[in-house]
Amino acid sequence: MNASFRVACVSIVCLLVSSTQALADLAPEEQAAKILALSGAHGGFVVHLGCGHGELTAALAADERFLVQGIVVNPEDIAKVRTQIHEAGLAGRVTVRHLDGARLPYVNALANLVVVEKAGLVSQDE
């Protein structure tokens, strides 16, 4: 399979949670269900950029077809998010890392879904 075909088969959807008032007022589990439904993603790798304390990050992995990685802006939040993930019994299916710079730490077309909590954490091109 050539590289251009692999890239063409990957569907990337980016949803900005804070711009969608209907999502912002819901509990994390309800947000996750609506985000996954809106995205049309049926499984794969989800990136949650600006994941806060990890409640939505953990909820996005409730559907076992997804692996989720939360990206925190503040490195002091990593321990809190890891605790949330562990308490939810999702260690391994959900991971967390610090956003170190203005670029996401992935190769192009790796994520099936990118959930963004706050615009401007990385460039729109990213």
Side-chain angles (χ1 to χ4, degrees):
M1 180 183 309
N2 68 38
S4 62
F5 181 74
R6 279 194 304 256
V7 172
C9 289
V10 176
S11 172
I12 298 177
V13 178
C14 181
L15 292 173
L16 181 59
V17 174
S18 61
S19 71
T20 309
Q21 190 61 37
L23 290 176
D25 294 335
L26 299 175
E29 296 77 16
E30 294 171 307
Q31 285 183 356
K34 287 201 178 253
I35 288 167
L36 295 175
L38 286 169
S39 75
H42 299 288
F45 184 55
V46 177
V47 174
H48 184 200
L49 181 58
C51 70
H53 296 291
E55 294 89 355
L56 178 57
T57 309
L60 287 164
D63 185 326
E64 293 183 0
R65 299 174 297 172
F66 296 95
L67 294 175
V68 181
Q69 184 162 73
I71 305 291
V72 297
V73 177
N74 185 353
E76 290 82 32
D77 288 340
I78 291 175
K80 294 174 194 170
V81 177
R82 287 185 176 149
T83 298
Q84 177 76 22
I85 291 165
H86 181 71
E87 288 175 356
L90 296 170
R93 288 198 20 249
V94 180
T95 58
V96 63
R97 67 185 302 168
H98 174 245
L99 178 64
D100 188 19
R103 298 187 57 96
L104 293 174
Y106 311 108
V107 297
N108 288 340
L110 179 66
N112 300 87
L113 173 62
V114 178
V115 178
V116 180
E117 285 290 330
K118 180 180 173 189
L121 295 176
V122 295
S123 72
Q124 186 72 22
D125 292 338
E126 188 64 18

